[in-house]
Amino acid sequence: MNAFRLFLHVLAASIWVGGQLVLAGLVPTVRRFGEDATRQVARAFNRIAWPAYGVAVVTQILIFPVFGLHTTLAQNLKMGAIFTIVSIARSFALRRVFEAIRMRSAQ
């Protein structure tokens, strides 16, 4: 059962974080399909990413004791909040980088 919980946690975290990196790499290509294409792709991805994030947080709570890490619910939620802030900052930075690349290539 612990192996399954760990598998779910790694899968969910991979979808959430890895998907953001893949999406960031696709942005320049997706923009070629129109102004609204990027927004539509991001919304579609969010329908998968946020549930995966929720699964990652829940399984984190279940997995930590297996590795001898005993944290309170508040500590788990705080870690989840930190991961969320880092993820949002990373997404913001990646968007700016790809926007700068797009602007340079358009000139």
Side-chain angles (χ1 to χ4, degrees):
M1 185 60 148
N2 290 335
F4 180 70
R5 289 178 189 166
L6 182 59
F7 168 76
L8 276 181
H9 181 73
V10 171
L11 177 65
S14 297
I15 291 169
W16 182 54
V17 175
Q20 289 179 13
L21 295 172
V22 169
L23 190 60
L26 292 175
V27 165
T29 301
V30 170
R31 282 194 174 137
R32 294 181 195 153
F33 295 107
E35 289 294 319
D36 197 43
T38 305
R39 187 174 297 115
Q40 290 177 14
V41 169
R43 284 186 182 143
F45 172 69
N46 283 337
R47 287 193 296 269
I48 298 167
W50 285 112
Y53 173 74
V55 169
V57 169
V58 170
T59 54
Q60 168 186 303
I61 294 167
L62 298 172
I63 287 295
F64 274 14
V66 172
F67 294 102
L69 302 168
H70 300 285
T71 57
T72 65
L73 179 60
Q75 290 170 324
N76 272 297
L77 293 176
K78 198 178 291 184
M79 281 185 275
I82 291 168
F83 290 142
T84 301
I85 291 166
V86 168
S87 178
I88 290 169
R90 182 185 64 234
S91 295
F92 179 81
L94 286 172
R95 275 194 306 254
R96 294 300 153 293
V97 167
F98 284 112
E99 181 64 23
I101 291 169
R102 184 181 73 82
M103 294 302 286
R104 267 190 247 135
S105 66
Q107 293 177 352

